[in-house]
Amino acid sequence: MSTTASRPLSLLDLARVHSGEPIAEGIARSRRLAQTADSRGYTRLWFAEHHNMPHVASSATSLLIQHIAAATENIRVGAGGIMLPNHSPLVIAEQFGTLETLFPGRIDLGLGRAPGTDGVTMRALRRDGTEADHFQSDVMELNGYLAGYSRIPGVNAFPGHRTDVPLHILGSSLFGAQLAAQLGVPYAFASHFAPQMLTQAAETYREQFDSSKSLAGPGSKPHFIAAANVIAHDDGDYAREQQRQAEDSWIRTMLGRNKQLSDDDVTQLRDHPAGQQVLGMLSRTVSGTQKEVVDWLDAFGDGVQADEIMLVNLAPSEEAQQRTLELLAPTG
């Protein structure tokens, strides 16, 4: 019986901050989990850019990446992702060029075109929503800075120039799949919360992948990353109870804005169409014993021909998160 998944495993850390705890504790927990992942052979660890969310501590994404990379030795650390419409490509090239200079060979740059926040906060970021319209040209400009052939004569990123930080396109629709295929770069699909188009996006990406103009260089091959929520524990029932708590938390977050939901409210909402919609967002979730989770991950990866699986450690408890990392570890 295999005790590890058949594909490389990576991690997406949402840098959660629990209610009532200092933000510093949420970051410290991410650091502890990163050190476990580093020692257990996971491929990469990504953080996502979100804004105006009191329970998410990854808004200054490049700073958190620096903090975690400094606390680890081997695991690749990066963005999953930077919401490029919020930034100038030059600034991101400078930030990630600096990270690559400090931690050579360990930095990834995943790029998304969503704002990572709501409309009011987007305006506070001095954005009006039209920035996403030139996402592709911004990706090309950013790549030029990192690869050493700036698309703006006389302007270069220092640090950043010729650091060749690898780019990944992120998405939950066919747009990202098509763009990643056109640019010949890896593609990561956000199936941990938006699974509806996973299969179609995977097929589109592979069918349309163009290695002849790949930003990753000649001979590039498609690399598809699918995301899933996981909780593994020696006690399968405990893992499933952790999943239920995580689902309830999602219902509170998504449906309880500007109001307090009681435990009874949440229980009733689980059977309501609105609650079912929220739970549907988490349909790519597995909880159980080591064997149950590994078997599910292998079947999940086979179903979309994933080259790598990005795990979201969904358990509310840090003890359960740590045990998940230990049980699913690529190395002992």
Side-chain angles (χ1 to χ4, degrees), residues 28 114 141-142 146 176 179 189 191-192 194 240 270 276 301 316:
E141 182 182 338
L142 171 57
L146 296 172
L179 179 59
F189 191 90
S191 37
H192 62 294
R240 286 181 278 274
R270 291 182 70 92
Q276 287 292 302

Side-chain angles (χ1 to χ4, degrees), residues 94-116:
E94 292 169 341
Q95 290 178 2
F96 280 79
T98 299
L99 288 167
E100 176 64 24
T101 301
L102 293 171
F103 309 101
R106 292 184 55 207
I107 301 300
D108 293 331
L109 178 49
L111 300 168
R113 65 170 182 150

Side-chain angles (χ1 to χ4, degrees), residues 30-52:
S30 288
R31 187 177 187 270
R32 293 190 293 268
L33 291 166
Q35 290 172 326
T36 298
D38 186 45
S39 68
R40 295 304 185 103
Y42 288 87
T43 300
R44 66 186 94 241
L45 171 60
W46 283 358
F47 295 93
E49 177 187 344
H50 295 286
H51 298 282
N52 197 29

Side-chain angles (χ1 to χ4, degrees), residues 8 18 30 46 53 62 95 123 148 156 170 229 231 276 282 312 317:
H18 298 323
S30 288
W46 283 358
M53 296 184 181
S62 59
Q95 290 178 2
R123 289 191 288 276
N156 287 286
L170 315 181
N229 303 294
I231 305 172
Q276 287 292 302
L282 301 176
V312 177
S317 157

Side-chain angles (χ1 to χ4, degrees), residues 319-331:
E319 181 274 331
Q321 290 180 316
Q322 289 282 1
R323 193 61 182 140
T324 294
L325 294 181
E326 293 164 0
L327 289 173
L328 302 182
T331 59

Side-chain angles (χ1 to χ4, degrees), residues 80 83 111-114 135 168-177 180 186-194 197-198 201 224-225 227:
M83 301 297 104
L111 300 168
R113 65 170 182 150
F135 178 66
H168 298 67
I169 297 296
L170 315 181
S172 58
S173 68
L174 294 186
F175 173 87
Y187 180 54
F189 191 90
S191 37
H192 62 294
F193 76 93
M197 302 189 72
L198 170 63
F224 182 72
I225 303 173

